[in-house]
Amino acid sequence: MAFFKKLFEQQNDDKGFKPAPFETGYFGTVKADPNFNAQNDAAKLKKAIETKGVDEATVVEVIAKRSNAQRQQIKAAYQQSAGKDLAADLKKALKSEFEEVVLALLMTPPEYDAFEMKRAMKALFEAGENRIGTVCSVLIDILTNRSEAQLCKILQYYGQFSKDGLAKDLEGELSGNFEDCLMTLVKGAWNKHAYFAERLKLAMKGLGTDTDTLTRIIVSRSEIDLLKIMQEYKRMYGKSLQEDLLKETKGDYEKIMLALCGTP
């Protein structure tokens, strides 16, 4: 609860969590390609995968520069033309954090949310008390930022990752003031873009980088409000998200993260 206390204390601070004004429009950084051709993209990816050493630049260009709906069409076109599953082929060809981002982008938003929720709760008791904060973070992000229709789909997909279902998993894995945390979030009506900005900053603070958090936020918000999150990040920390990503990440992972942030 200490985080939420600090958050509310900072609401009126110019560098803190100022209430967000009501705005309409599209604030994602990833947009649909107006010249999209699923068959052509599938062919490009097949060639990139079969290239010796893998053509990572083409993977970034195709996967990160298409909307999620377009990626689903690419998956279908790849299956039809190559007779194989695109995600499976990319999993074999890629590695490390770059592989995780690409596979995340190939899931539908409900699939990815369900996957992350299950991963956040896996073998919780073995990890100990320090893991609880991470679990709450993931569940808060998802359960307070999805419509009723989206949550229904998430629950359906969650069943693919757990034989017991979400309700039973939550009952068995969580304890304490989780319900109070959710109510505090709803009543507080704070700036969710500032919240995500802080989560991104914390993921890159200190020794090592929490790539799981970076990937989860940037992938899941890339077609929702990543542009607003980046604006809040600049307001709160005096530098752009891209600047910190350049300092804290490297290689193909850095390239795909920057591409999702809308870097030309």
Side-chain angles (χ1 to χ4, degrees):
M1 294 295 288
F3 165 79
F4 298 102
K5 181 179 179 181
K6 180 180 179 183
L7 185 154
F8 298 132
E9 288 174 349
Q10 292 178 334
Q11 277 193 336
N12 295 319
D13 187 334
D14 286 342
K15 297 295 183 181
F17 288 79
K18 297 170 64 177
F22 179 77
E23 297 179 274
T24 59
Y26 181 77
F27 300 110
T29 53
V30 174
K31 300 179 180 179
D33 182 355
N35 301 311
F36 175 66
N37 185 299
Q39 289 72 29
N40 287 349
D41 282 345
K44 288 179 183 178
L45 288 173
K46 186 174 186 299
K47 183 178 179 180
I49 292 170
E50 294 174 349
T51 298
K52 185 177 181 180
V54 185
D55 180 2
E56 291 93 347
T58 295
V59 175
V60 171
E61 183 63 27
V62 174
I63 299 296
K65 300 296 180 67
R66 306 291 185 271
S67 68
N68 189 273
Q70 290 176 333
R71 291 183 210 119
Q72 303 313 311
Q73 294 181 55
I74 294 171
K75 285 170 60 177
Y78 189 94
Q79 179 71 49
Q80 184 177 28
S81 62
K84 299 178 182 179
D85 180 70
L86 176 58
D89 280 358
L90 284 169
K91 183 175 179 62
K92 293 177 184 177
L94 306 178
K95 59 183 179 181
S96 190
E97 292 89 356
F98 181 58
E99 172 199 324
E100 293 178 7
V101 177
V102 171
L103 295 181
L105 289 167
L106 287 175
M107 297 182 195
T108 65
E111 286 174 335
Y112 184 57
D113 285 342
F115 172 79
E116 280 295 294
M117 291 170 72
K118 180 60 180 176
R119 187 169 71 152
M121 290 189 288
K122 188 178 180 182
L124 174 63
F125 292 117
E126 294 179 11
E129 185 177 342
N130 289 337
R131 191 69 174 143
I132 294 177
T134 303
V135 174
C136 289
S137 172
V138 175
L139 294 174
I140 289 169
D141 287 356
I142 294 172
L143 295 178
T144 64
N145 288 288
R146 301 295 185 271
S147 68
E148 182 177 354
Q150 288 173 322
L151 285 176
C152 287
K153 287 188 176 181
I154 290 169
L155 292 173
Q156 292 171 1
Y157 281 113
Y158 188 88
Q160 298 177 9
F161 301 100
S162 169
K163 63 180 181 180
D164 295 323
L166 178 59
K168 192 169 183 179
D169 279 355
L170 289 175
E171 182 181 357
E173 300 286 0
L174 297 176
S175 60
N177 296 319
F178 182 62
E179 181 178 354
D180 292 340
C181 288
L182 290 181
M183 290 304 296
T184 300
L185 285 174
V186 174
K187 291 179 179 180
W190 47 266
N191 187 335
K192 66 180 177 183
H193 303 127
Y195 168 75
F196 285 122
E198 183 180 68
R199 295 298 301 172
L200 289 168
K201 186 66 173 179
L202 291 174
M204 294 183 280
K205 185 177 180 179
L207 296 176
T209 299
D210 182 357
T211 55
D212 285 347
T213 295
L214 288 182
T215 299
R216 181 175 71 247
I217 295 176
I218 291 177
V219 168
S220 65
R221 311 306 296 188
S222 63
E223 293 187 57
I224 301 175
D225 55 3
L226 184 54
L227 186 61
K228 301 297 293 183
I229 293 169
M230 290 165 59
Q231 291 173 353
E232 284 295 303
Y233 194 98
K234 182 68 177 290
R235 179 184 67 81
M236 293 168 68
Y237 304 112
K239 60 176 70 175
S240 69
L241 175 60
Q242 291 97 321
E243 288 179 85
D244 280 346
L245 286 172
L246 281 169
K247 292 180 181 178
E248 301 296 333
T249 62
K250 59 184 180 180
D252 295 316
Y253 180 72
E254 175 188 285
K255 293 175 184 176
I256 199 165
M257 288 287 99
L258 291 174
L260 289 172
C261 289
T263 301

